[in-house]
Amino acid sequence: MTTYGYARVSTTDQNLTIQIEALRKAGCEVIREEKKTGTTREGLTELDSLMTFLRSGDTLMVTRIERLARSIGDLQDIVRALKAKGVALKATEQPIDTGTAAGKAFLDMLGVFAEFETNLRKERQMEGIAKAKAAGVYKGRKPSIDVARIKDMQNQGLGATAIAKQLRITRASVYRVVSKASAG
């Protein structure tokens, strides 16, 4: 019976120190950590590793439930997988214990709120972008591909593979530029 910790932040410039310290203080013997978004379960390799080697009687500990998942569907999938293995889920900062009915209910409520918060953040971001576009401020990301250079290289007789290698871009990007040029 081992207590495993899982710490996650969304971006590489965020710090995991506070979560790791809290998990150590809670008695976690092994702590897995990653810096990836939790809006989807895809790509959470450390979480996947934990899910693979957790055994009956073990406990998975997080500081807050949104560190585990930001969508209620993903959270429920994780909880079901843990339950099937006989693994308990606990949080250091929230009264979550999947071994009790109240703990399960609280877990579901927190999952709904985490998903709601993510959706609100996306809505605010889209509103801000729309407002900036209307004001003529938002132009999107600056182009990373020099279209004129691709056309020049193509006119010099270079093929898509050679152009892509020289410019350190994908052949698909070269083909996109070429097809837009011939269509327009």
Side-chain angles (χ1 to χ4, degrees):
M1 294 177 32
T2 306
T3 301
Y4 293 93
Y6 177 69
R8 183 193 59 76
V9 291
S10 298
T11 61
T12 55
D13 59 332
Q14 291 176 312
N15 195 317
L16 288 159
T17 306
I18 293 172
Q19 288 182 55
I20 292 169
E21 287 173 2
L23 292 170
R24 280 197 183 114
K25 199 181 273 187
C28 293
E29 299 164 38
V30 175
I31 299 171
R32 302 298 287 230
E33 58 189 78
E34 56 195 336
K35 294 185 175 190
K36 292 187 179 164
T37 183
T39 55
T40 177
R41 178 120 182 252
E42 267 182 53
L44 297 178
T45 54
E46 293 301 320
L47 178 59
D48 289 342
S49 292
L50 269 173
M51 296 299 286
T52 301
F53 63 74
L54 286 165
R55 301 288 178 250
S56 181
D58 289 344
T59 299
L60 176 58
M61 180 86 65
V62 292
T63 54
R64 301 181 61 78
I65 209 62
E66 67 267 12
R67 297 298 95 210
L68 195 56
R70 284 269 186 191
S71 105
I72 191 67
D74 285 345
L75 181 60
Q76 288 173 336
D77 289 345
I78 292 167
V79 170
R80 274 192 288 273
L82 293 173
K83 183 178 180 182
K85 288 182 158 214
V87 175
L89 173 62
K90 294 185 180 182
T92 61
E93 297 178 25
Q94 297 163 323
I96 294 170
D97 181 349
T98 56
T100 67
K104 288 178 198 170
F106 193 69
L107 173 70
D108 285 343
M109 285 188 292
L110 287 174
V112 168
F113 288 124
E115 185 170 332
F116 177 65
E117 179 185 351
T118 298
N119 291 336
L120 282 178
R121 188 173 45 258
K122 285 179 185 174
E123 283 179 15
R124 285 191 303 266
Q125 182 181 17
M126 296 311 294
E127 287 170 3
I129 290 171
K131 187 176 177 181
K133 281 182 178 179
V137 177
Y138 183 85
K139 307 281 193 247
R141 185 173 67 107
K142 290 192 183 347
S144 58
I145 297 173
D146 186 344
V147 175
R149 189 156 175 220
I150 290 174
K151 289 177 184 176
D152 288 342
M153 294 171 85
Q154 186 184 27
N155 291 338
Q156 293 170 15
L158 291 173
T161 302
I163 294 170
K165 273 187 183 175
Q166 273 192 329
L167 298 180
R168 294 182 181 170
I169 60 175
T170 64
R171 284 187 322 165
S173 296
V174 174
Y175 289 129
R176 249 189 318 276
V177 169
V178 170
S179 69
K180 281 183 185 177
S182 60

